[in-house]
Amino acid sequence: MANARVLIVDDEPDLVELVALTLERMGLASARAGSLLEAQRLLLSESFDLVLCDMRLPDGDGLDLLEWLQQRRPGLPCAVITAHGNVETAVRALKAGAFDFISKPLDLAVLRRTVISAMKLAERDGSQTLTFQGPRLLGQSAPMEELRGLIARVARSQAPVHIAGESGTGKELVARLIHQSGARAEGAFVAVNCGAIPQELMESEFFGHKRGSFTGAVADKKGLVQSADGGTLFLDEVADLPLHMQVKLLRVIQEKSVRPVGENQEQPVDVRLLSATHRNLSELVALGQFREDLYYRINVIELRVPSLRERVEDIPELTNHILRRLSKREGEAIPLLTGEALEQLSHYTFPGNVRELENILERAMTLSGGTEIGAADLQLRAPSAPAAGPRKFSAAVQEASALGSQLEDVERAAIVQALEQTRYNKTAAAKVLGMTFRALRYRIKKLGIE
Ligand SMILES: Nc1ncnc2c1ncn2[C@@H]1O[C@H](COP(=O)(O)OP(=O)(O)OP(=O)(O)O)[C@@H](O)[C@H]1O
Ligand SMILES: [Mg+2]
């Protein structure tokens, strides 16, 4: 945070003064611009770590600056200052790439937290060698590559993200990755299954309660929202939230504060909100089962996780990975799939997506009890209408499994040779091999090359 500089863009001298003073107390230097034009001039000639921009400027608005920043300084976080209660503007700013928004009248605690988050983000970007704990998002298909790109982009912002997708596609995994790749990675990731909490306990589970506020409340209890303070709150199956909780949640988002059951005072909270459901939220809005205002707040950015049917070429990789993981857990050798088993998988539509593939393979390993998994072990339901591209998938699986180990040996040798030739410079080695750096990094990891 040392030597960090913030650009304050606002034409209200009192507000600028207040912000500058707050930043100074945090040990941060600042510069001021009273108009869009002046801001652009400063941004081109000096270097900054964060921009705080008022929504209304004499010669334009915050959205204009956001658009300009996307073009000229895409890595620079910008938080906008919006009029109190102007939800639409805040949402538009987040969609336009704002890192976060702060509403007027300024709450200095909120301002400080926003600034700290932005600085953490800059710090993380400086150290590119992030090692993620936990599962990775597998799949080299175009839709998955695109999804990975989107995850990296939305991780930079504080905007609420809604993750849509069929069940078992990896929505929770995506939520965890957004959290891990962003400024809040060190904070908590609190996942809440909205469909699993009994209605009568919901308010106290979410917001906590004060001792004695109802029968059974024997001690003060912290809510899930407070547990996510400084981190991420993931509302899984958000469509299952009853309407009265939707109202309360909307308040939390708007006010950035919560009131525990039986408590008079609101407590400030700083959470990033991610949500997911396998249901069609906009349809539920149309049916009056989900509040439209909440829908717009949580759905500022929507990511859709593709079904397995839309990325059949990922199935071999997923299959290999899952079999490897299961074998490791059981301390057994990795089994092979027979040609017939592959053929059957190739005609399967996977209504339960990756989770179903995991279940099928786990069951098959148990049933086969050996080194080979046959068609009968898969116990697939009778093939329904064939999915799009089963042929392509079939070919890909056959190739990957039959040739798998042989190809891996050849590949490993080629990569090692290229690395030695380039003195372990991965960028140069990727050139030699005619693949992208990313692809090489992936292969190295997959083949377990040190
Ligand atoms: N691309 C992927 N790479 C590796 N593993 C994946 C991938 N997608 C999903 N998985 C795995 O599949 C399982 C299901 O994923 P997850 O729980 O994230 O799905 P979901 O969309 O939340 O499902 P549901 O709607 O059933 O809650 C998990 O074990 C997860 O690790
Ligand atoms: Mg889930």
Side-chain angles (χ1 to χ4, degrees), residues 415-424 429:
I415 291 175
V416 169
Q417 196 190 351
L419 282 169
E420 280 171 355
Q421 193 183 324
T422 56
R423 293 172 180 271
Y424 302 95

Side-chain angles (χ1 to χ4, degrees), residues 218-251:
V218 289
D220 285 0
K221 186 174 180 291
K222 197 165 151 184
L224 292 161
V225 178
Q226 290 96 321
S227 305
D229 199 13
T232 303
L233 181 67
F234 173 50
L235 299 178
D236 203 356
E237 296 312 339
V238 70
D240 293 347
L241 272 184
L243 285 164
H244 76 274
M245 280 304 291
Q246 293 179 22
V247 182
K248 297 218 154 88
L249 192 67
L250 187 67
R251 260 191 70 79

Side-chain angles (χ1 to χ4, degrees), residues 87-403:
V87 175
E88 274 105 277
T89 314
V91 169
R92 266 166 62 209
L94 289 172
K95 275 198 205 288
F99 159 76
D100 205 347
F101 68 92
I102 308 168
S103 45
K104 276 194 258 190
L106 276 195
D107 176 336
L108 294 184
V110 172
L111 172 66
R112 277 193 293 269
R113 279 202 304 265
T114 308
V115 171
I116 290 168
S117 286
M119 294 300 153
K120 278 197 194 140
L121 191 68
E123 246 168 57
R124 300 208 83 201
D125 281 358
S127 57
Q128 278 294 324
T129 45
L130 293 174
T131 40
F132 288 143
Q133 304 291 315
R136 285 181 305 136
L137 191 68
L138 301 173
Q140 303 293 299
S141 60
M144 285 314 268
E145 286 290 351
E146 193 184 322
L147 182 62
R148 261 190 288 272
L150 283 170
I151 289 171
R153 253 189 59 199
V154 304
R156 300 189 54 86
S157 116
Q158 300 294 305
V161 177
H162 181 68
I163 304 161
E166 291 178 15
S167 81
T169 44
K171 296 186 295 295
E172 178 157 0
L173 189 54
V174 167
R176 284 183 191 280
L177 290 174
I178 293 174
H179 169 76
Q180 281 176 350
S181 340
R184 295 170 174 265
E186 255 109 84
F189 176 87
V190 178
V192 187
N193 185 339
C194 298
I197 304 174
Q199 288 239 12
E200 64 277 15
L201 292 182
M202 239 180 199
E203 191 174 346
S204 116
E205 284 294 311
F206 268 86
F207 310 128
H209 62 241
K210 215 173 137 69
R211 193 177 94 126
S213 55
F214 55 89
T215 333
V218 289
D220 285 0
K221 186 174 180 291
K222 197 165 151 184
L224 292 161
V225 178
Q226 290 96 321
S227 305
D229 199 13
T232 303
L233 181 67
F234 173 50
L235 299 178
D236 203 356
E237 296 312 339
V238 70
D240 293 347
L241 272 184
L243 285 164
H244 76 274
M245 280 304 291
Q246 293 179 22
V247 182
K248 297 218 154 88
L249 192 67
L250 187 67
R251 260 191 70 79
V252 173
I253 300 173
Q254 272 165 2
E255 308 298 324
K256 295 190 180 180
S257 64
V258 289
R259 197 172 58 79
V261 178
E263 184 73 72
N264 297 321
Q265 290 278 321
E266 298 247 326
Q267 303 170 347
V269 282
D270 166 35
V271 299
R272 179 173 194 192
L273 200 76
L274 303 178
S275 62
T277 174
H278 65 282
R279 300 168 70 184
N280 185 336
L281 262 194
S282 58
E283 219 163 71
L284 293 175
V285 170
L287 289 170
Q289 287 167 22
F290 201 85
R291 288 183 67 102
E292 190 172 21
D293 44 11
L294 182 61
Y295 172 73
Y296 285 118
R297 288 316 297 267
I298 65 172
N299 200 32
V300 169
I301 297 170
E302 183 174 272
L303 293 190
R304 202 181 70 84
V305 186
S307 70
L308 204 46
R309 290 183 299 286
E310 294 164 72
R311 48 189 188 99
V312 284
E313 61 269 47
D314 288 341
I315 298 179
E317 184 190 337
L318 284 165
T319 302
N320 283 337
H321 177 84
I322 294 165
L323 286 177
R324 195 170 306 168
R325 196 187 64 216
L326 292 170
S327 315
K328 201 168 156 193
R329 195 184 72 188
E330 305 298 323
E332 289 167 4
I334 303 168
L336 278 173
L337 290 169
T338 66
E340 207 189 331
L342 293 171
E343 186 59 25
Q344 284 218 352
L345 271 184
S346 76
H347 290 289
Y348 193 61
T349 49
F350 293 101
N353 295 292
V354 184
R355 170 163 303 119
E356 187 176 13
L357 178 62
E358 286 178 345
N359 293 341
I360 289 170
L361 293 172
E362 183 165 15
R363 188 175 56 209
M365 266 181 76
T366 313
L367 289 174
S368 74
T371 52
E372 198 177 76
I373 292 176
D377 301 324
L378 295 174
Q379 296 204 323
L380 298 183
R381 274 170 271 169
S384 43
R391 289 283 125 218
K392 195 161 101 200
F393 157 64
S394 174
V397 172
Q398 297 274 9
E399 222 170 85
S401 277
L403 294 174

